[in-house]
Amino acid sequence: MKLTGAQMLLKCLEMEGVEVMFGFPGGAVIDIYDEIPNSTVEHILVRHEQGAIHAADGYARATGRVGVCLVTSGPGATNTVTGIATAYMDSIPVVIFTGQVPRALIGNDAFQEVDIVGITRSCTKHNYLVQDIEDLAVTIKQAFYLARSGRPGPVLVDLPKDVMQQVAEFRYPESVQMRSYNPTCKPHVGQVRKVMKLLRKAKKPLIYSGGGVITSGSHADLTWLARNLCIPVTSTLMGLGAFPGDDPLFLGMLGMHGTFAANMAVNNCDLLLAVGARFDDRVTGKVDTFAPNATIVHIDVDPTSIQKNVSVHVPLVADCKAALAALRAESEASLDDIDWCADHREWVGQVQDWGREHPLTYKDDDAVIKPQFVVEKIYEITKGDAIIATEVGQNQMWAAQFYKYTRPNTLLTSGGLGTMGYGFPAAMGAQRAFPGKLVIDIAGDGSIQMCIQEMMTVVCNRLPVKIVILNNGYLGMVRQWQELFYRKNYCETCLDAQPDFVKLAEAYGAAGFRVTEKKDVESTLREAFALDKPVIVDIRVAREENVYPMVPAGASLTEMLLV
Amino acid sequence: MNKHTLSVMVENEPGVLSRVSGLFSGRGFNIYSLNVAPTLEKGVSLMTIVAEGDDQIIEQIVKQLRKLVPTIKVKDLTEVKSVEREMVLIKVNAEDSKRAEILRIVDIFRCKVVDVSTDELTIEVTGDQGKIGALINLLGRFGIKEIARTGNVAMQRSMQMDL
Ligand SMILES: Cc1ncc(C[n+]2csc(CCOP(=O)(O)OP(=O)(O)O)c2C)c(N)n1
């Protein structure tokens, strides 16, 4: 079958099972857009390319499948860079198609030309410039394979306009052969035994679970291990939802805004089992004093993550799912002769005492609305059965602390890059994947203004995303740092000048609510969540509320500032 | 800080060199020298990279290189017996009174004179770091005007034998 490059691209997407892509047209990709009506792949027109890439990313996080976006050359391509870096830092599988000027013009500073392959080299897992239509199908096959295998990540494919117009015989390869790319996914048996031995010996073991557990789909094995071997679990921001947040063994997040119990447990454990987590500086605090008494086991599919930030005693390079399944198989045999829970009773008791001594808390108030109270109400109303996206800042930390994530893929948040503007378009992508589900973006008044134009996209695509703005009139997280570490010099963090968010929602054809009194929080949220259309709920919260506990940057995890 | 010689086999595709060099610059690693050329195998290039760093940095460099999609194989030749060679062109001051002495050194080091003028000699030398360092040292006092180095190329020894 002879096809044009544009037809081929869409055929390939169909064969990869892609149901939807998010995009924005332009001269370099008109040929592709010309074919979209003939394809089963749905296209959602965003209002800014950053919205397209975040939506593809949110779709990927919520479904575990590859997200796809399509943009034009030059400015279209560069507008995706923030989103690509966001997906890269959080290991999210997305494939980005960018238009490119015709091959004859490449390198000539042609109209709307940028070297997007060069620009994104350091924030993609891999990227391609397709120079010949004969390579197109193979390249796309590889792009999807690379995006989802090993340590997942974004892969960019740059498509010159004339290649999209060329005609060639279409053959989609059935499998991928790349002699240079062979991620290690199966765990080494000897290492698994070694880990088992350490687990048997440990008196105070602790599981430190990260986003890799979610990406690899290994939450069931993680949960089995923790419960059957009676090991407390702490999680990174990215790992929330991998282990049920309402389980008594769950300590909450660790690190800068982690719980007292989690940070104390890290400090006192004798065995730290790190799974799919990468010892980010927001997690470790001062590295020299991180888990000072522990033997550290590190399971990760990416060898570069191991030994990068902390020195690890037992590395286990493998897909988390394969590794945890192997550990589970090994320990299943031990359940008859070892009473794990008896062995760990004292330790688990100690850890839970820490949790009771210093739970996550805040000073509630009837005169003003506390942002934590709002998040708690959202959890109560949804009973945890919603997909929560967040923006970045205090809103993100409160969403992590005061909402209990009981299932994987239900928290969509920019962990590694901390991208303001991520949450709303990501929520849009998730809502497209799950039209019937309640999808809520917990936002700050600063962040929401970064990609607010996607209101139009959600309205015309009937994606009933709910935006709850914890409106403190500040770039709150930066203001918190200024308060604590910069003599309250609130330089350029006050957002007194604000749009009327209710009118703004209405201008786009969505619904808007404003809440200024505590007594109205619950009823308004209920009303908003029940509406079958996009909604902004603008909640005026205590202006100078801080996120606690807090470990100051560079301090040890035990040096927490508490409420 | 140690120097490690890394032999890196890569798919010879567009942009592969900038992927490798970008990895070094983006992560703050130090390249001492870098040499690339095709191998006998179709589509495969060999890079010899001399990198500087402590053990932990070198470990990261090796792992990060392996992680690049076009990378086929990475070997740290510092850990095995290997042959390393560099080719250098040296243009040195050589007025008449010094010329004989320079030529004697050229002879001892088994180098080649590849260009001559009334007051300069250009010398080609091939050897390992030790030999090249020594020669540069000796010629230094005559005044080296220009120097061009290829950077190391290296290969693991096939037999564990010093030749
Ligand atoms: C794109 C981007 N620019 C700047 C920052 C730095 N930053 C981190 S948190 C924050 C404040 C966010 O304010 P807001 O969205 O109002 O949320 P709040 O902290 O008040 O909940 C800023 C400016 C960032 N993370 N991302």
Side-chain angles (χ1 to χ4, degrees):
Chain A
M1 185 177 25
K2 285 221 187 282
L3 295 179
T4 65
Q7 290 167 333
M8 240 185 235
L9 166 65
L10 288 159
K11 257 279 155 316
C12 293
L13 296 183
E14 287 169 13
M15 297 187 79
E16 282 296 323
V18 174
E19 51 158 4
V20 61
M21 60 181 164
F22 301 87
F24 202 90
V29 285
I30 294 193
D31 294 280
I32 302 168
Y33 277 84
D34 197 44
E35 291 296 335
I36 285 180
N38 306 324
S39 166
T40 61
V41 181
E42 181 192 342
H43 177 272
I44 290 185
L45 175 67
V46 295
R47 294 301 186 271
H48 184 295
E49 289 87 352
Q50 187 178 352
I53 174 76
H54 288 327
D57 168 315
Y59 177 93
R61 290 189 209 221
T63 58
R65 301 169 60 190
V66 180
V68 180
C69 84
L70 168 64
V71 299
T72 192
S73 66
T78 50
N79 269 350
T80 65
V81 172
T82 301
I84 295 174
T86 303
Y88 182 68
M89 290 291 273
D90 290 342
S91 310
I92 306 304
V94 281
V95 174
I96 305 100
F97 293 102
T98 50
Q100 183 54 277
V101 300
R103 284 171 298 174
L105 297 181
I106 291 178
N108 289 353
D109 300 326
F111 177 63
Q112 294 197 328
E113 180 193 358
V114 294
D115 170 17
I116 195 64
V117 167
I119 288 173
T120 58
R121 205 162 269 146
S122 59
C123 61
T124 48
K125 180 169 172 182
H126 195 55
N127 57 19
Y128 297 90
L129 168 64
V130 180
Q131 304 250 32
D132 186 338
I133 190 161
E134 297 296 341
D135 301 333
L136 181 63
V138 182
T139 304
I140 295 173
K141 182 84 191 172
Q142 287 184 0
F144 276 87
Y145 173 64
L146 286 174
R148 69 176 151 243
S149 62
R151 178 178 182 168
V155 179
L156 182 140
V157 184
D158 201 21
L159 305 166
K161 183 175 166 106
D162 60 321
V163 174
M164 291 296 96
Q165 294 167 333
Q166 275 186 304
V167 176
E169 189 63 30
F170 175 64
R171 255 175 294 110
Y172 200 54
E174 285 188 2
S175 60
V176 175
Q177 267 106 35
M178 297 172 76
R179 66 179 151 187
S180 61
Y181 176 77
N182 303 293
T184 309
C185 292
K186 289 215 175 63
H188 185 272
V189 183
Q191 291 298 88
V192 172
R193 299 242 161 87
K194 215 187 236 174
V195 176
M196 237 9 253
K197 235 187 235 156
L198 287 170
L199 275 172
R200 280 169 192 245
K201 238 181 40 198
K203 298 266 178 305
K204 306 175 183 178
L206 178 67
I207 292 174
Y208 152 45
S209 145
V213 177
I214 293 180
T215 353
S216 65
S218 50
H219 57 281
D221 287 322
L222 180 90
T223 306
W224 187 96
L225 275 169
R227 285 184 176 157
N228 283 281
L229 309 190
C230 287
I231 305 175
V233 179
T234 180
S235 164
T236 66
L237 176 64
M238 292 303 297
L240 290 174
F243 184 75
D246 51 4
D247 191 291
L249 283 170
F250 188 61
L251 308 181
M253 198 164 66
L254 80 166
M256 180 174 276
H257 294 297
T259 64
F260 182 81
N263 286 341
M264 291 302 285
V266 172
N267 196 56
N268 287 279
C269 66
D270 63 2
L271 178 74
L272 187 71
L273 184 62
V275 194
R278 61 191 176 89
F279 298 88
D280 183 275
D281 52 288
R282 283 287 188 271
V283 155
T284 60
K286 190 173 171 191
V287 191
D288 309 341
T289 53
F290 180 77
N293 308 308
T295 303
I296 299 181
V297 176
H298 191 178
I299 303 175
D300 206 298
V301 71
D302 178 3
T304 62
S305 286
I306 295 174
Q307 268 351 338
K308 184 160 66 182
N309 302 330
V310 301
S311 85
V312 166
H313 305 93
V314 184
L316 187 55
V317 177
D319 177 61
C320 291
K321 188 163 178 159
L324 290 177
L327 280 175
R328 176 174 172 167
E330 287 276 323
S331 46
E332 247 158 345
S334 76
L335 292 182
D336 292 335
D337 61 290
I338 304 179
D339 187 347
W340 292 90
C341 287
D343 287 357
H344 297 155
R345 185 161 297 135
E346 203 176 319
W347 166 240
V348 171
Q350 163 75 81
V351 167
Q352 288 170 340
D353 283 347
W354 280 322
R356 273 186 291 272
E357 274 166 42
H358 296 286
L360 277 176
T361 185
Y362 59 98
K363 292 200 181 77
D364 204 2
D365 195 313
D366 286 328
V368 285
I369 305 170
K370 286 296 181 89
Q372 301 92 331
F373 171 82
V374 176
V375 177
E376 281 180 339
K377 278 290 162 229
I378 295 175
Y379 177 66
E380 259 177 60
I381 295 169
T382 61
K383 303 191 185 67
D385 186 25
I387 295 175
I388 304 291
T390 80
E391 299 296 337
V392 167
Q394 295 181 315
N395 59 84
Q396 179 183 32
M397 290 302 119
W398 287 319
Q401 291 177 331
F402 290 91
Y403 189 100
K404 295 189 183 71
Y405 301 89
T406 49
R407 272 170 301 111
N409 309 99
T410 54
L411 171 64
L412 319 178
T413 194
S414 169
L417 200 66
T419 309
M420 290 171 71
Y422 168 79
F424 175 37
M428 170 167 99
Q431 186 80 76
R432 171 57 189 77
F434 298 105
K437 250 196 157 351
L438 183 56
V439 182
I440 304 166
D441 177 34
I442 297 181
D445 47 309
S447 303
I448 195 60
Q449 296 187 59
M450 290 222 165
C451 284
I452 192 72
Q453 71 288 342
E454 299 311 327
M455 281 307 291
M456 203 62 253
T457 313
V458 292
V459 168
C460 59
N461 287 280
R462 300 180 184 283
L463 299 170
V465 173
K466 312 291 182 274
I467 299 171
V468 179
I469 304 178
L470 304 177
N471 189 339
N472 53 17
Y474 278 113
L475 298 171
M477 187 57 101
V478 182
R479 186 211 55 78
Q480 174 169 344
W481 284 49
Q482 289 172 328
E483 177 189 332
L484 298 175
F485 312 116
Y486 294 86
R487 313 168 306 280
K488 293 201 175 191
N489 179 14
Y490 293 168
C491 180
E492 299 290 347
T493 48
C494 182
L495 292 184
D496 270 341
Q498 288 193 332
D500 181 330
F501 286 111
V502 174
K503 282 197 183 142
L504 186 102
E506 287 165 0
Y508 277 111
F513 296 92
R514 175 166 303 112
V515 185
T516 53
E517 305 218 18
K518 188 179 177 188
K519 64 175 174 40
D520 300 329
V521 169
E522 179 167 351
S523 56
T524 311
L525 287 176
R526 281 190 191 280
E527 191 181 342
F529 294 169
L531 280 180
D532 188 24
K533 52 149 94 179
V535 184
I536 293 181
V537 188
D538 175 21
I539 305 187
R540 300 303 170 90
V541 298
R543 294 204 60 192
E544 300 197 14
E545 187 68 13
N546 287 341
V547 181
Y548 290 118
M550 176 172 197
V551 177
S556 304
L557 288 189
T558 47
E559 301 175 70
M560 280 166 278
L561 311 174
L562 298 163
V563 179
Chain B
M1 293 281 267
N2 288 319
K3 284 205 185 97
H4 283 239
T5 303
L6 309 176
S7 161
V8 185
M9 217 156 5
V10 294
E11 294 286 352
N12 184 5
E13 59 186 39
V16 67
L17 178 58
S18 80
R19 272 182 219 287
V20 170
S21 58
L23 185 158
F24 277 78
S25 61
R27 294 186 181 270
F29 299 144
N30 221 351
I31 299 185
Y32 182 77
S33 71
L34 172 70
N35 183 291
V36 204
T39 61
L40 279 181
E41 198 171 339
K42 195 163 169 276
V44 177
S45 283
L46 184 70
M47 297 189 178
T48 308
I49 304 174
V50 180
E52 288 178 305
D54 57 26
D55 288 353
Q56 201 251 342
I57 289 177
I58 297 292
E59 183 181 335
Q60 263 300 309
I61 291 176
V62 169
K63 285 176 171 175
Q64 294 285 357
L65 284 170
R66 286 199 178 120
K67 184 170 157 182
L68 289 179
V69 169
T71 303
I72 299 167
K73 198 150 128 198
V74 183
K75 238 187 306 180
D76 185 347
L77 294 179
T78 320
E79 289 165 358
V80 295
K81 293 224 163 147
S82 62
V83 196
E84 298 191 12
R85 290 292 181 272
E86 181 174 15
M87 207 265 269
V88 184
L89 296 173
I90 303 170
K91 189 181 285 172
V92 63
N93 273 333
E95 58 259 34
D96 288 344
S97 60
K98 301 282 157 57
R99 191 163 291 227
E101 196 179 346
I102 295 176
L103 287 175
R104 209 161 37 241
I105 294 172
V106 166
D107 208 33
I108 295 168
F109 276 77
R110 274 174 266 158
C111 324
K112 248 200 303 203
V113 175
V114 290
D115 189 37
V116 197
S117 72
T118 49
D119 52 357
E120 290 170 354
L121 283 172
T122 301
I123 297 162
E124 172 199 310
V125 56
T126 305
D128 62 17
Q129 300 280 311
K131 174 175 171 182
I132 284 164
L135 180 66
I136 290 172
N137 228 345
L138 279 174
L139 293 179
R141 63 196 163 96
F142 303 103
I144 294 177
K145 297 189 107 174
E146 229 180 295
I147 194 159
R149 312 178 64 151
T150 59
N152 263 11
V153 291
M155 212 177 253
Q156 183 170 357
R157 283 188 188 280
S158 36
M159 285 175 295
Q160 299 286 300
M161 207 158 57
D162 283 313
L163 291 175

